[in-house]
């Protein structure tokens, strides 16, 4: 499974990149709004810092303006992926962009059939929103399974990017559904790295080692 960080915070990205497990980044207008008004600078730094794909979401609304802005995003950096919300009026735009070879991440996907529609247009990533499903009492795990099953049944190439993951159980369910990618908030990745039993175990091993009062293992 590929792991993307779901943030536009450069400090958090910089701190977690050395772990070697980060394959890309997903930003959105909400993430960007927390990082100040120099959105160009923030996005430029993130694209330069991260070798993998960086999703940048369109903020225009009219399809013509969306098409223009999507091309600008695609030209902004080699690793930029254009994030476009699922909407019927954007379908022609999506078709045009995929035919031009632009990498797209279709966001705010909430049903398996929405996923199928954009898979037919050859988008690179499809982002179902697990947390927002669970927020309204819908079992996100079941819907995600339906989408990953659709992908195997019809053998489409679009990658299923499990998004809106807010807790470990949702992430674990995305693994079980064999989603291609999970985008996770930095705090969730921290939780995986810092387990109290692992930390306690390290302390206990060290305490026992210290009893030997030796300088090195092979002296
Ligand atoms: C990522 O691509 C999405 O924009 C993000 O995961 C949404 O998460 P949220 O539902 O917690 O806002």
């Amino acid at each position: 499974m590929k792991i993307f960080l779901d943030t536009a915070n450069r400090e958090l990205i910089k701190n977690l990149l050395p772990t070697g497990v980060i394959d890309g980044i997903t930003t959105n207008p909400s993430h960007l709004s927390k990082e100040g008004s120099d959105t160009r600078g923030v996005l430029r730094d993130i694209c330069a810092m991260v070798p993998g794909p960086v999703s940048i979401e369109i903020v225009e609304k009219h399809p013509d303006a969306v098409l223009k802005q999507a091309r600008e995003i695609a030209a902004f950096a080699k690793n930029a992926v254009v994030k476009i919300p699922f909407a019927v009026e954007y379908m022609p735009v999506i078709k045009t962009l995929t035919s031009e070879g632009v990498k797209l991440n279709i966001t705010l996907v909430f049903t398996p059939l929405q996923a199928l529609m954009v898979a037919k247009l050859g988008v690179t990533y499809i982002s179902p929103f697990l947390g927002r499903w669970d927020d309204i009492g819908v079992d996100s795990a079941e819907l995600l399974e339906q989408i990953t099953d659709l992908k195997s049944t019809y053998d489409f190439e679009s990658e299923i990017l499990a998004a809106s993951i807010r807790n470990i159980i949702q992430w674990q369910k995305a693994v079980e559904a064999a989603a291609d990618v999970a985008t996770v908030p930095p705090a969730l990745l921290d939780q995986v790295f810092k387990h109290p039993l692992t930390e306690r175990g390290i302390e206990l091993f060290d305490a026992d080692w210290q009893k030997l009062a030796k300088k090195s293992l092979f002296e």
Side-chain angles (χ1 to χ4, degrees), residues 23-91:
D23 301 294
I25 305 289
T26 53
T27 67
N28 63 32
S30 305
H31 293 329
L32 279 178
S33 71
K34 295 180 195 137
E35 306 304 322
S37 60
D38 181 17
T39 46
R40 168 176 274 273
V42 171
L43 292 169
R44 184 201 52 224
D45 291 351
I46 296 174
C47 289
M49 206 189 291
V50 180
V54 176
S55 288
I56 302 174
E57 191 158 338
I58 54 108
V59 290
E60 292 291 350
K61 289 183 193 65
H62 188 279
D64 294 341
V66 168
L67 181 61
K68 185 167 177 278
Q69 188 170 55
R71 288 176 176 144
E72 282 165 8
I73 293 172
F76 181 71
K78 273 197 288 214
N79 51 347
V81 173
V82 184
K83 209 174 182 196
I84 299 182
F86 183 91
V88 66
E89 57 272 31
Y90 297 155
M91 293 297 276

Side-chain angles (χ1 to χ4, degrees), residues 97-155:
L97 290 166
T98 55
S99 71
E100 291 172 5
V102 174
K103 288 192 172 167
L104 300 182
N105 173 359
I106 305 305
T107 190
L108 292 164
V109 167
F110 287 97
T111 73
L113 290 175
Q114 284 181 335
L116 184 64
M117 296 305 114
V118 288
K120 283 177 72 78
L121 302 187
V123 304
T124 305
Y125 302 105
I126 301 172
S127 291
F129 270 39
L130 308 198
R132 294 193 198 187
W133 260 324
D134 289 333
D135 288 346
I136 57 161
V138 175
D139 182 357
S140 65
E142 196 184 323
L143 276 154
L144 184 63
E145 289 270 3
Q146 288 173 10
I147 292 178
T148 52
D149 284 353
L150 259 182
K151 176 175 157 122
S152 337
T153 305
Y154 294 108
D155 197 25

Side-chain angles (χ1 to χ4, degrees), residues 1-3 21 23 162 165 171 173-176 178-182:
M1 167 179 264
K2 290 181 211 163
I3 298 171
V21 302
D23 301 294
I165 291 180
W171 189 354
K173 295 286 181 190
V175 172
E176 285 165 25
D180 301 289
V181 190

